[in-house]
Amino acid sequence: MTSTTPDPVAALLRHAATTWIAPRFRHLADEEVMQKAPGEWVTTVDRDVEAFLTPELQSLVPGSRVVGEEQCAETPELLDQLDEGTVWLVDPLDGTFNFISGREPLSSMVALLENGVTVGAWMLNPISGVLHHARRGQGAWREGERLHATPGPGLRRAVVKTRFLPQEHQARVATWPDVKILPGLNCAGAEYPALAEDAFDATLYWRKLAWDHAPGTLFIAEAGGVAARLDGTPYRAGDRQPGLLVARSREVWEEAAAAWKTS
């Protein structure tokens, strides 16, 4: 696949956006919103989009299987086999709380895994229709424009997701010198492209659910950035250990990792 080749995954995401997501944006009824766990929200739109994408994605690659966020809410053991075979990871609507609140950003995300390695990534803003996508070895793209993250050092602005970050680590991050700590966008599918487009320099995630980060980590790597665990080892979608540091360049990643270790 290149930037100009017809992309069936993008077509499926666009269909889901125009059929379910955009029409319900700012028009959700109370009965369409549910809490699946304390502080974890889902809507009928999340479930409808995942139900649509599941058989459609499977039909694109015979023998593949789909692991979706809403499926895993009911059957978490689906995450145990991400390193085996061809797997589509699906986040039907990243930023669900934003969606419920009637605000952006939002993203529908798909990642394609081959034996645990992410080889394809798609992140669609279902309201604007802008697609960010990547294939391993073929670059990162915003629609038909190839993106290159800004190289070089300079950790000035970092998004730190504090909701799941242990208190002692929150105190460590607060001591980072000369770094403006930002709260983020409440949508990983928007944060990864924003990082590649120089909205900030690095992002620190503690919880790293596979569907939230498999697409973005491939995207940022193909744009020339770095995503790795806090000890520097590579990220894999099947890894459930906490801690993921993402930066727009190797130099910034090293600077952020050093700040983490010494704070």
Side-chain angles (χ1 to χ4, degrees):
M1 183 190 74
T2 69
S3 64
T4 57
T5 302
D7 185 341
V9 178
L12 291 173
L13 289 173
R14 294 188 191 282
H15 177 78
T18 57
T19 303
W20 289 283
I21 302 174
R24 305 307 300 146
F25 185 52
R26 298 177 180 158
H27 296 287
L28 282 174
D30 290 345
E31 60 269 20
E32 294 179 291
V33 179
M34 294 138 280
Q35 191 169 204
K36 58 186 176 182
E40 299 288 330
W41 297 91
V42 65
T43 72
T44 56
V45 175
D46 297 74
R47 291 173 174 169
D48 288 344
V49 170
E50 188 169 306
F52 163 71
L53 289 174
T54 296
E56 296 290 340
L57 290 170
Q58 286 177 312
S59 71
L60 294 179
V61 182
S64 64
R65 63 188 191 278
V66 173
V67 175
E69 178 179 8
E70 306 316 323
Q71 290 175 287
C72 288
E74 301 293 331
T75 314
E77 56 268 25
L78 289 170
L79 289 169
D80 295 339
Q81 298 178 334
L82 293 185
D83 288 342
E84 301 175 14
T86 302
V87 177
W88 298 97
L89 270 173
V90 174
D91 189 339
L93 184 55
D94 186 39
T96 295
F97 189 73
N98 289 351
F99 185 63
I100 294 168
S101 304
R103 64 173 184 260
E104 298 186 61
L106 309 170
S107 184
S108 288
M109 299 196 289
V110 171
L112 180 61
L113 310 182
E114 293 287 357
N115 296 319
V117 177
T118 308
V119 298
W122 297 261
M123 296 174 287
L124 177 75
N125 181 321
I127 307 304
S128 70
V130 173
L131 177 73
H132 290 84
H133 57 107
R135 281 278 190 159
R136 182 167 293 276
Q138 297 183 28
W141 302 79
R142 182 185 190 273
E143 297 290 350
E145 176 191 2
R146 188 162 187 174
L147 295 182
H148 300 276
T150 304
L155 178 61
R156 301 157 294 153
R157 306 150 299 167
V159 168
V160 177
K161 309 308 288 284
T162 58
R163 180 181 173 193
F164 299 100
L165 188 65
Q167 191 66 40
E168 65 271 21
H169 294 324
Q170 293 187 34
R172 290 174 63 185
V173 170
T175 66
W176 284 7
D178 303 319
V179 179
K180 183 176 182 180
I181 303 299
L182 305 172
L185 304 173
N186 199 31
C187 177
E191 287 164 354
Y192 279 100
L195 178 59
E197 294 170 355
D198 203 30
F200 33 85
D201 305 308
T203 306
L204 174 63
Y205 298 98
W206 191 251
R207 188 175 75 162
K208 54 181 199 291
L209 299 172
W211 46 80
D212 283 338
H213 299 291
T217 52
L218 175 62
F219 182 85
I220 202 70
E222 288 295 318
V226 177
R229 296 171 59 185
L230 289 165
D231 63 2
T233 55
Y235 166 84
R236 285 178 68 92
D239 172 24
R240 299 194 213 177
Q241 293 298 313
L244 177 64
L245 182 60
V246 188
R248 58 178 171 79
S249 71
R250 170 57 64 182
E251 292 86 352
V252 172
W253 194 96
E254 296 288 353
E255 188 176 348
W260 171 264
K261 291 174 183 176
T262 58
S263 57

